[in-house]
Every structure is written in C-alpha cells, then in structure tokens.
Amino acid sequence: MFRSIESPKSRVRVIVDGREIEADVAASVAAALLGAGMTAVRRSVVGGEPRAPYCLMGICFECLVTIDGVQNRQACMVPVRDGMVISSQRGARTMEVGGQ
Amino acid sequence: MTVQMIRNAEDLAERYDIAIVGAGPAGMAAATECAKFGLRTIVFDENSEAGGQIYRAITRNTPAARPYLGRDYWRGASLWEAFVATTASYVPAAAVWSLEQQDEEAELRVSVSGRSMIVHAKRVILATGATERPMPVRGWTLPGVMSIGAAQIALKSAGLLPEGRAVLAGSGPLLYLYASQVLAAGGVIDAILDTTPRRYWLQAAPHLLPFLISPYVWKGLGLILKVTRAVRVFRSVTALEINGKDRADGVTFTAGGKTVSLPAKSVFLHQGVIPHANLANAAGCEMGWNDRQKCFAPVVDRQGRSTKASIFIAGDGNGIGGALVAEFDGRIAGLAAGLEVLGKEPSEDLRRYGRLRQKALRGRTFIDLLYQPAPSFRAPAEEDVIVCRCEEVSVGAIRAAADSGVAGPNQLKTMLRCGMGPCQGRMCAATVTEILADAQQRPPTEVGTYRLRPPIKPVPLSEIAALPHTPDAVYAVTGTHSEH
Ligand code: FES
C-alpha cells in the first residue's frame, strides 16, 4: 500500500519470514515491512483474520511480530537493525497482559 | 550543557525532582522549563526519537530532504534544540507502565532496554499526547486500512507515500493536511470522503468570529482550496464501509442521496484525536467527560494539576488543543511543578505563558464543534462491525449487553473481554462509552470509561518479578514481613 519516495541513504538488511528485504536505518520494523510491500503481519487471535499495522504509534497492537526470537514486539516501536530476523505471528498470542 | 541520554535501565537514578513522560511539544517544553531551575529532571519517551507524533522524526528531518511537511512542522526543531541544550536526562524507548502517588511524591515503574526499574519523583508531568479516535466501520480491520495519522507517520518518518488508489475518509483538519502533504510530495489521493455532517456548520457558526482571527483560518482555507482542486471530495458521507476479503479493495458509501462504490487499495481513516490518558487513568487521576470534544480527559486545574497532587498533565493528554497549546501547556506545568518543588510563589512567566496559551486556543471551539464526529460513526449501529479489535467484540454483542442492563464499561469488560486485549482498551474505550450511552439513553459522563490498572503496557512477568520488592509488596504476596 506504500512506496518509498526517497533514494536509499543508509540501508540495512533484515530477514522477514525467510525473505531478505532492505530498509532505511531510521525506519521502524513496521515501516520497513510496509515499504517492502508487506501489509498483513499476523492473524487475529479469535477469528484468525489477517491483520496489519493500523496506528504506527504504539496504540493498537496490530503490528505484533516476533523479532530475533522475542514474541509480541510492537513492530512500529522498534527501529530496524542490520541482520534482524523478523517473523509474522499466526494464531494465539502468548502474551502476558496486565491492567485487568 | 547538553541532555544526558540514558539507554540502559541500570543508568537511571532512584530519585529525581521532576519526571516527565513524553517528549512531544508539551514534554520537551516542560523539561526545558524545569531544567532552567536546576532541578533534577528526567524525560521518559516511549518512542526512540523525540518529537511526539506532531513533530515525528524532527531530530533528523530537514526542510531540504522533506520540504513537503509544511511550515508548522519545523517549529518542532527549535523545541528540540532548546531541550537538548538542557541538563535534563532523556530516556528514549522507555515505557512507563505504572504510576502511583505515594505520600506527597510519585513512584514510576519504567521498562528500558528489557529491564524494569522503579524511579521516584517529587512531581510527575504526563505529556502523553493524543491518540486518534477509533473509527469503527465495516471492514476497518482489513489489511490495507490504516489511520490517517499512521499514514502521516509513514511519510514523516520513512518517506512512504500511498501506492495505488488511496481514499481518505472521516472528518477533521488532518484529512486535508495529510492530503496536501501527499500532493506536495508528488503522490496521489483518489478521493476524500468527508463525513462532517452539513448541519455541523450551524452548530459551529456562533463561534466563527474567534476562528476568523485565529491563525487556523488562512492555513485551513489554503489547504482545503489546494486539496479540493486536485482531489475528488464527497461531502456529508454516511454509511461508509470498506470492501474486501483478505485485504481492502474498495469503499462503498452514501453521499448526496446516492450510493457510491470506489475501488481502493489503501483506505485511511480519521475522525479527530482524543487524549491518551491511560497512565493518568491507571494512576487514579479523576477523569471527566468533555462534551464538546466527546471524550474523557483527566480533570486538571489551570496549571495542569490533576486530582493527585504530585501529578501534572500537560498538552493534548488533558484535552485537545494542538501543538502550540501543548507547548505552552508544557511550559506552564513545568514552571508550576518546578516552583512547587522549590517552595516558591507563582512567577510572572507563569502568567505570561497562561496568556499565550489562551491566545493559542483561539478558534478551537469552532473547530471542535465543526469537526465533532457524527453520532453514527461514534456509536455505530451495524451489528457486525468490530469495536474491540483485540478480542473481536462486535457492536451487536455490546448493544445486546447494553439492552440486558450492563452497568458500564468495566462490567462489559468482564462479560465480553472487550478491552482486555494487549491494547487495553485504547482502540475501543471511546466507542464503548458512546454505544452504551446511546443504547441505554444515558449521558456518557454517567456511563464512564474503563478503569485501568498497571501495567498499562504489556511487560513480561519476568521483568516485573525482577523488580526490587518493597516490604509491603512482599507482605501482600507472602503474608509475612521479611527482614531483607
Ligand atoms: S501499528 Fe499500532 S501498535 Fe504498532
């Protein structure tokens, strides 16, 4: 749903679900995925529907992915780093949620 | 002098005079004022870069590289420069997940670099800004749908423009601002579906005069003219839904008595912003309903003092005023909190910033009333529309609970798991209040909103367990007082 209008300045490489993509060093993981043409990053917990980052500001938790083996990271809040391994999440999240 | 950047939890001190949460306009301005007094000041920001949402990526953007962001955006650069020149400590990528008033001070729990720490401060200033009001319509959970704020963040921080047919839908100045930025950057917007009801011009009209002498007027008119010349605009749009199975492929809506369908690869939604007050709420600050802005906000006095004496709230987090108001709000709260810590009387500066804030608020009532989201988008009637995206709770389920007499949002939460997912109600609280108010014919202020408890961000249990325990906490769990 997006295209980048800038020529690459300083790029890093990350692996997403086994595929290598390039991203600007300053991008968040979510922006990197969107810039590479990936929208749906996970399946919803109850209905198994495809979901994609919605707010890009840490509010909606639709962008949860596994980064370097750590589950449920908010892709929009984590800057990319060279060599990062990212995988999309399907099904139930094993997340500890407080606040109830 | 320059701010001390802290990236590891171990480098935090145990006590500060002032702790500020958020590094947008209000947070940066507040920190600058506090640091002038020589007070030990620390700023925690959840983002990895300062600027908040409005000045997103201000620390690295330049007018030469991203000229399309517009004049107002660059005001953030001077705020950032003043802030980095202070002696404050600044902690990026820090999630404050608990805040509690203890005696006359405040205790914060914050997660930095995968570790949580407890920090005490004599005064806390929450500058947590705003979030976009949810706009639940059929299909809004499909990939390809995003908030306009998110699309703008993608542009500001990563230079991303919509690709393929893009439609903006909703109400408020951001529709036109984002459209103008996309156009200036060489992008295309296919259509704007403006859901502002025509009659809202009437409800706003009595407040037209202060708006006409506000800086908004020329900027606003200029933007709208520029955008309407290049983009198809449908007005008074109702019955909006997004089509598509596994991703968005179009929109259907009613405008001018006709049903219209348009293909779209990207759909961006927005209907104004509301205070992001989860931390204030969880700290037990009293929340009040703002009927003009149709949202709950923490109750504060003129200097931003909440109902908890050690907690101030500045900027959009206490009611929507925009970037300039937030900046003065931050200065006022910073000064007021600083003077309190020093035991000093209110200063002339405090009064001066108060006047500037008042001036910056000019025209706000008109904008609030004109861009109040239509009732059908705040409390949707379509039963299958999802309200709580995390737990997939629909309008129908909430309305059924309302009809069976559910007492309020907290009971609804227990009943339907609505608001219990990882976003902790950030995406559904506003809608839940409005639906219950609508279905039960009660004022929103009586319906109330979720009562939150820490942690307000998901924190791994291992991180919580590793925190040093107070004797009271140990007693609560074990029933005995241990010696160490
Ligand atoms: S996209 Fe909403 S939290 Fe990341």
Side-chain angles (χ1 to χ4, degrees):
Chain A
M1 67 194 289
F2 289 104
R3 66 185 163 96
S4 175
I5 49 168
E6 288 172 6
S7 48
K9 285 182 287 277
S10 185
R11 304 237 113 189
V12 296
R13 283 161 193 282
V14 298
I15 312 277
V16 187
D17 288 337
R19 178 182 143 197
E20 188 177 276
I21 64 167
E22 279 204 330
D24 195 284
V25 263
S28 68
V29 170
L33 297 179
L34 292 167
M38 295 178 197
T39 16
V41 300
R42 66 181 192 98
R43 295 236 161 220
S44 69
V45 175
V46 182
E49 305 289 335
R51 291 286 179 87
Y54 184 81
C55 74
L56 291 188
M57 52 180 277
I59 298 295
C60 72
F61 288 74
E62 292 287 14
C63 62
L64 297 179
V65 293
T66 301
I67 298 176
D68 290 337
V70 183
Q71 281 190 11
N72 299 310
R73 306 283 324 264
Q74 284 175 284
C76 67
M77 302 300 284
V78 181
V80 287
R81 281 204 217 311
D82 202 37
M84 209 173 225
V85 178
I86 301 153
S87 52
S88 53
Q89 295 187 177
R90 324 210 141 239
R93 54 180 182 244
T94 50
M95 179 173 242
E96 300 139 350
V97 179
Q100 281 86 46
Chain B
M1 284 189 294
T2 170
V3 288
Q4 184 206 1
M5 189 89 98
I6 296 180
R7 294 194 180 275
N8 291 307
E10 299 76 42
D11 298 333
L12 292 170
E14 256 172 59
R15 320 195 70 82
Y16 292 88
D17 291 317
I18 310 260
I20 295 166
V21 184
M28 290 194 287
T32 306
E33 296 300 327
C34 294
K36 276 187 205 159
F37 287 123
L39 293 171
R40 291 196 76 186
T41 305
I42 187 161
V43 178
F44 296 106
D45 190 29
E46 200 187 348
N47 287 306
S48 49
E49 300 174 304
Q53 304 312 330
I54 194 87
Y55 302 129
R56 188 98 186 182
I58 194 72
T59 59
R60 62 185 161 88
N61 274 341
T62 59
R66 289 183 179 155
Y68 46 79
L69 295 176
R71 250 216 351 251
D72 289 347
Y73 174 80
W74 304 110
R75 183 181 177 92
S78 55
L79 273 171
W80 164 246
E81 277 155 26
F83 170 52
V84 276
T86 67
T87 52
S89 298
Y90 163 49
V91 198
V96 176
W97 52 267
S98 164
L99 169 64
E100 205 182 310
Q101 173 158 299
Q102 290 179 342
D103 305 321
E104 287 304 287
E105 300 197 350
E107 186 204 82
L108 302 95
R109 290 165 191 233
V110 57
S111 170
V112 186
S113 61
R115 217 182 127 187
S116 282
M117 295 293 267
I118 297 179
V119 165
H120 292 91
K122 292 182 181 143
R123 292 290 178 272
V124 169
I125 301 173
L126 300 183
T128 46
T131 66
E132 289 178 275
R133 181 194 302 274
M135 189 166 172
V137 295
R138 198 172 277 144
W140 76 310
T141 54
L142 287 169
V145 184
M146 216 182 222
S147 75
I148 297 186
Q152 199 193 30
I153 288 169
L155 182 62
K156 283 178 186 171
S157 67
L160 296 178
L161 276 185
E163 181 187 42
R165 289 178 184 277
V167 169
L168 310 185
S171 61
L174 188 63
L175 270 83
Y176 295 91
L177 176 61
Y178 174 65
S180 74
Q181 290 172 330
V182 169
L183 296 174
V188 180
I189 299 290
D190 266 72
I192 292 179
L193 317 181
D194 194 327
T195 57
T196 310
R198 226 175 287 278
R199 64 175 191 280
Y200 279 15
W201 285 95
L202 285 178
Q203 82 173 22
H207 305 276
L208 185 60
L209 205 60
F211 174 70
L212 285 178
I213 52 169
S214 74
Y216 296 124
V217 70
W218 298 115
K219 259 185 287 182
L221 282 179
L223 276 183
I224 291 178
L225 278 178
K226 202 167 85 186
V227 170
T228 45
R229 246 182 264 132
V231 183
R232 266 190 303 177
V233 180
F234 295 86
R235 296 189 194 281
S236 301
V237 164
T238 56
L240 169 70
E241 57 181 75
I242 299 156
N243 315 318
K245 201 178 163 315
D246 278 334
R247 58 158 300 128
D249 58 25
V251 286
T252 302
F253 56 94
T254 306
K258 279 197 215 80
T259 302
V260 184
S261 286
L262 298 175
K265 203 170 163 197
S266 308
V267 181
F268 300 110
L269 301 175
H270 175 83
Q271 52 175 353
V273 296
I274 54 179
H276 183 206
N278 282 37
L279 194 52
N281 180 327
C285 300
E286 191 185 324
M287 308 287 286
W289 176 255
N290 179 333
D291 200 50
R292 205 178 70 207
Q293 299 190 339
K294 299 288 177 201
C295 59
F296 277 99
V299 175
V300 294
D301 72 7
R302 292 176 68 163
Q303 293 166 356
R305 235 172 251 101
S306 74
T307 53
K308 298 275 179 193
S310 65
I311 302 173
F312 285 69
I313 300 158
D316 277 354
N318 72 26
I320 304 306
L324 199 54
V325 173
E327 184 183 323
F328 292 124
D329 235 29
R331 295 198 193 285
I332 292 166
L335 274 174
L339 290 166
E340 267 184 26
V341 170
L342 294 166
K344 285 191 180 162
E345 292 297 305
S347 63
E348 176 50 34
D349 274 349
L350 200 51
R351 285 182 282 273
R352 189 166 57 87
Y353 287 139
R355 288 192 295 272
L356 288 169
R357 178 181 187 278
Q358 227 30 55
K359 204 173 149 205
L361 268 172
R362 216 181 260 163
R364 179 52 56 177
T365 310
F366 178 83
I367 293 182
D368 283 347
L369 291 174
L370 177 61
Y371 291 125
Q372 220 168 55
S376 62
F377 288 106
R378 282 186 276 123
E382 300 82 5
E383 304 227 316
D384 58 317
V385 168
I386 286 180
V387 174
C388 165
R389 300 172 59 115
C390 298
E391 298 294 330
E392 293 164 76
V393 182
S394 67
V395 170
I398 296 171
R399 287 194 178 267
D403 292 345
S404 69
V406 70
N410 294 304
Q411 291 72 17
L412 193 78
K413 202 186 216 178
T414 323
M415 221 169 128
L416 300 177
R417 292 196 55 79
C418 191
M420 272 218 187
C423 95
Q424 297 177 324
R426 287 171 176 86
M427 293 299 290
C428 69
T431 317
V432 161
T433 297
E434 296 260 15
I435 292 180
L436 293 186
D438 177 54
Q440 300 180 329
Q441 289 297 299
R442 291 197 289 159
T445 175
E446 191 189 307
V447 170
T449 186
Y450 297 133
R451 204 179 35 250
L452 304 175
R453 287 200 188 83
I456 61 142
K457 294 280 290 188
V459 188
L461 284 180
S462 53
E463 217 178 297
I464 298 179
L467 275 172
H469 291 299
T470 62
D472 284 347
V474 172
Y475 181 72
V477 176
T478 63
T480 55
H481 282 287
S482 70
E483 291 307 305
H484 49 272

XYZ file of all heavy atoms in Angstrom, chain A residues 30 52-64 73-77, chain B residues 146 150 423 427 457, ligand 1:
182
model
N 7.915 -1.841 11.394
C 6.641 -1.772 10.681
C 6.787 -0.989 9.376
O 6.290 -1.407 8.334
C 5.569 -1.137 11.561
N -3.086 -6.038 9.949
C -1.932 -5.244 9.544
C -1.741 -4.087 10.513
O -2.673 -3.727 11.226
C -2.173 -4.707 8.132
N -0.549 -3.496 10.557
C -0.345 -2.328 11.418
C -1.418 -1.283 11.127
O -1.749 -1.040 9.970
C 1.028 -1.793 10.991
C 1.727 -2.965 10.393
C 0.661 -3.819 9.772
N -1.975 -0.691 12.176
C -3.057 0.268 11.975
C -2.669 1.690 12.377
O -3.006 2.636 11.707
C -4.292 -0.180 12.765
C -5.489 0.713 12.542
C -6.291 0.557 11.406
C -5.796 1.745 13.426
C -7.370 1.395 11.179
C -6.873 2.589 13.199
C -7.657 2.408 12.069
O -8.719 3.248 11.836
N -1.962 1.822 13.522
C -1.743 3.175 14.065
C -0.314 3.685 13.900
O -0.079 4.874 13.901
C -2.136 3.219 15.541
S -0.939 2.387 16.628
N 0.641 2.802 13.803
C 2.075 3.120 13.734
C 2.575 3.963 14.896
O 3.619 4.595 14.801
C 2.430 3.795 12.393
C 2.348 2.922 11.147
C 2.911 3.680 9.936
C 3.116 1.616 11.307
N 1.808 4.045 15.974
C 2.283 4.832 17.114
C 2.116 4.111 18.444
O 1.991 4.727 19.490
C 1.629 6.204 17.144
C 0.122 6.191 17.055
S -0.573 7.873 17.105
C -0.585 8.136 18.879
N 2.108 2.788 18.388
C 2.163 2.052 19.648
C 0.840 1.869 20.355
O 0.804 1.414 21.495
N -0.260 2.199 19.714
C -1.557 2.186 20.371
C -2.326 0.880 20.144
O -2.900 0.313 21.054
C -2.423 3.368 19.858
C -1.760 4.705 20.185
C -3.843 3.309 20.413
C -1.662 5.004 21.651
N -2.353 0.398 18.898
C -3.329 -0.629 18.514
C -2.859 -2.073 18.717
O -3.660 -2.979 18.776
C -3.747 -0.427 17.066
S -2.477 -0.869 15.863
N -1.581 -2.295 18.793
C -1.012 -3.641 18.956
C -1.377 -4.584 17.801
O -1.379 -5.789 17.954
C -1.418 -4.261 20.298
C -0.722 -3.621 21.466
C -1.083 -2.363 21.903
C 0.325 -4.265 22.102
C -0.422 -1.747 22.958
C 0.990 -3.659 23.171
C 0.611 -2.408 23.596
N -1.691 -4.025 16.646
C -1.965 -4.860 15.477
C -0.668 -5.302 14.803
O -0.686 -6.156 13.931
C -2.818 -4.090 14.456
C -4.238 -3.792 14.903
C -5.135 -5.025 14.896
O -4.625 -6.155 14.805
O -6.366 -4.841 15.006
N 0.443 -4.713 15.187
C 1.696 -4.942 14.462
C 2.593 -5.958 15.154
O 3.773 -6.045 14.845
C 2.442 -3.618 14.315
S 2.899 -2.915 15.904
N 2.022 -6.727 16.104
C 2.856 -7.646 16.874
C 3.549 -8.677 15.980
O 2.903 -9.358 15.191
C 2.002 -8.370 17.925
C 1.361 -7.468 18.981
C 0.515 -8.297 19.946
C 2.419 -6.678 19.742
N 6.536 -8.314 19.835
C 7.130 -6.975 19.839
C 6.264 -6.086 18.965
O 5.761 -6.519 17.935
C 8.561 -6.994 19.248
C 9.517 -7.968 19.888
C 10.091 -7.566 21.238
N 10.379 -6.164 21.451
C 11.582 -5.585 21.280
N 12.599 -6.290 20.874
N 11.759 -4.298 21.534
N 6.133 -4.822 19.365
C 5.379 -3.880 18.534
C 6.289 -3.399 17.403
O 7.213 -2.616 17.640
C 4.905 -2.699 19.367
C 3.717 -3.012 20.251
C 3.365 -1.837 21.140
O 4.049 -1.582 22.118
N 2.306 -1.129 20.802
N 6.010 -3.862 16.188
C 6.897 -3.566 15.063
C 7.037 -2.065 14.815
O 8.052 -1.604 14.315
C 6.378 -4.263 13.803
N 5.999 -1.306 15.182
C 6.060 0.130 14.899
C 6.919 0.879 15.901
O 7.234 2.042 15.699
C 4.660 0.733 14.850
S 3.824 0.743 16.441
N 7.283 0.234 17.007
C 8.058 0.925 18.047
C 9.529 0.503 18.061
O 10.324 1.032 18.828
C 7.450 0.641 19.433
C 6.002 1.049 19.592
S 5.715 2.805 19.326
C 6.351 3.470 20.870
N -5.773 1.797 7.399
C -4.896 2.347 8.423
C -5.443 3.696 8.851
O -6.272 4.272 8.150
C -3.555 2.588 7.735
C -2.379 2.334 8.563
S -0.947 2.735 7.606
C 0.036 1.366 8.064
N -1.387 7.331 11.022
C -0.358 6.334 10.723
C 0.259 6.588 9.356
O 1.477 6.512 9.177
C -0.960 4.932 10.773
N -4.050 -4.035 23.682
C -4.115 -2.562 23.587
C -4.813 -1.970 24.795
O -4.831 -0.767 24.984
C -4.751 -2.101 22.277
S -6.521 -1.755 22.351
N -8.137 1.163 21.725
C -8.835 1.213 20.436
C -10.355 1.090 20.571
O -11.058 1.151 19.569
C -8.333 0.091 19.514
C -6.896 0.245 19.072
S -6.575 1.735 18.124
C -7.449 1.358 16.604
N 1.209 -1.050 29.924
C 1.778 -1.651 28.708
C 2.118 -3.084 29.075
O 2.514 -3.345 30.212
C 3.082 -0.952 28.285
C 2.965 0.471 27.844
C 2.479 0.632 26.420
C 3.496 0.193 25.384
N 3.069 0.547 24.011
S 0.779 -0.326 14.417
Fe -0.444 0.112 16.149
S 0.827 -0.569 17.762
Fe 2.086 -0.819 16.063
